[in-house]
Amino acid sequence: MTDVEPGNESQIVEFLRWALGEEAPVELIGNGSKRRLGAPVQAAHTLSLRGMTGITLYEPEELVLRALAGTPLRDIETALAEQNQMLAFEPPDWGPLLGEAPKSGTLGGAIGCNLAGPRRVRFGAARDHILGFRAVNGRGESFKSGGRVMKNVTGYDLPKLMAGSMGTLAAMTEITLKVLPRAEKMRTALLFGLDAAAANAALVKALQLPFEVTGAAFLPADIAKASAVDLVRGAGASVTAIRLEGAPESTSDRCTRLRALMREATAAPDEELHGTRSAALWTGIADVAPLLPDPAATILRLSVPPASGAQALLRAQSLCRCKAYLDWGGGAVWLAGNDAAALAAAAQVAVADTGGIVQPICNAPAGLSSPDELARAIKAAFDPKFILNPGRMG
């Protein structure tokens, strides 16, 4: 096996041209924190971008940041925090979930996997914040796309295509992002004891109301008791959580009005979290912390229409013993179980009439997902010999 850690784009071009000539499969990684995400790569050579680090442009007044793909996310988030700014797509830290060290993710990994935390319900996923990039494709050709503003699309929107491609199209070397101001205050309304269907309806309703919700999740009682937040952990019941952020007075007023409306609609006991405890709750939800205790478990995420979240969750649990919770207002159904084949079969039945998809996260059985003809055609255009991360996406 050959392990290569280039320090610049020219070295990547040279290596991938060699790999193309030899038709030698190559695994692309950053720090390796997401190697277990999706299907395993079948490759004898590894190209790591961990040496490609550094913020190359940051203009806080323009809300634009550019960095090399191997730059640790923690470095980017620290630089943004100093200017009271943030990555609005709230990239989760899945290192521990995937058996790796915490806080080891890179910018390229976050964009390549199109990550998004609970704020996706308001701000979208990583692909909605990428302005441009530089990369080297499977032909060994360096190319770039996009720029420093959102309205830069002519023809194909390559930045959005690269987001979520998981290193199967090209090795991104530099990425330009839109960043946003960090909210001054955060409050989370909690509803206790709702069943999945009632909680899902409450989440969908909250997202439809003019309160600018930035997080909407449902934690069944067995999941809630694993929370790091005392008020959630000690509830002894399911917890439905709805997050609001913004200026102090506005956030407080919106939370008060939202709680009143939800109390009237559900008759559920309610409470709210402030500051540190509110932030801790959503960090745990984003990082899938409630599903962490069993590292051997198979974990899947079902992406469904938000109103179908409870239906998919209950159907999966009726067919297979598993733990589950809802994020993204019901649009993300997280499942964890110890029988990989049974869980995969249950998940596929659960999404069958929703128009949703099953996404393998870790320890999933082979063949759960596979690229369609369009995806293969796109792959061939960027990587004609299929040398980049073969097998990663099924």
Side-chain angles (χ1 to χ4, degrees), residues 183-236:
E184 294 180 68
K185 293 293 180 182
M186 177 192 304
R187 292 199 176 188
T188 300
L190 303 177
L191 304 170
F192 300 107
L194 296 179
D195 62 26
N200 196 179
L203 295 177
V204 171
K205 180 64 175 178
L207 289 170
Q208 294 171 340
L209 293 170
F211 291 125
E212 300 180 347
V213 169
T214 65
F218 167 64
L219 309 180
D222 62 328
I223 298 295
K225 70 180 182 181
S227 174
V229 178
D230 53 0
L231 190 59
V232 176
R233 184 175 62 251

Side-chain angles (χ1 to χ4, degrees), residues 145 152-161:
S145 180
N152 58 34
V153 179
T154 56
Y156 294 108
D157 191 350
L158 292 184
K160 283 186 170 58
L161 185 63

Side-chain angles (χ1 to χ4, degrees), residues 13-30:
V13 168
E14 181 180 358
F15 178 73
L16 290 184
R17 285 180 178 174
W18 170 84
L20 177 67
E22 297 292 323
E23 297 189 18
V26 175
E27 181 182 18
L28 297 180
I29 64 171

Side-chain angles (χ1 to χ4, degrees), residues 244-330:
L244 303 172
E245 297 176 280
E249 291 186 7
S250 168
T251 304
S252 176
D253 176 65
R254 284 181 289 129
C255 192
T256 298
R257 290 188 288 134
L258 176 63
R259 287 179 62 191
L261 287 171
M262 291 292 103
R263 194 181 308 125
E264 180 180 357
T266 66
D270 67 294
E271 188 52 87
E272 69 181 63
L273 296 175
H274 297 192
T276 302
R277 290 198 298 174
S278 187
L281 172 65
W282 292 102
T283 295
I285 292 171
D287 296 348
V288 202
L291 302 184
L292 280 180
D294 185 356
T298 293
I299 297 180
L300 309 176
R301 185 178 67 192
L302 315 185
S303 292
V304 300
S308 300
Q311 171 190 321
L313 182 154
L314 294 171
R315 183 168 295 172
Q317 289 190 318
S318 73
L319 297 170
C320 175
R321 180 170 180 159
C322 59
K323 296 192 294 183
Y325 72 92
L326 301 178
D327 195 6
W328 301 351

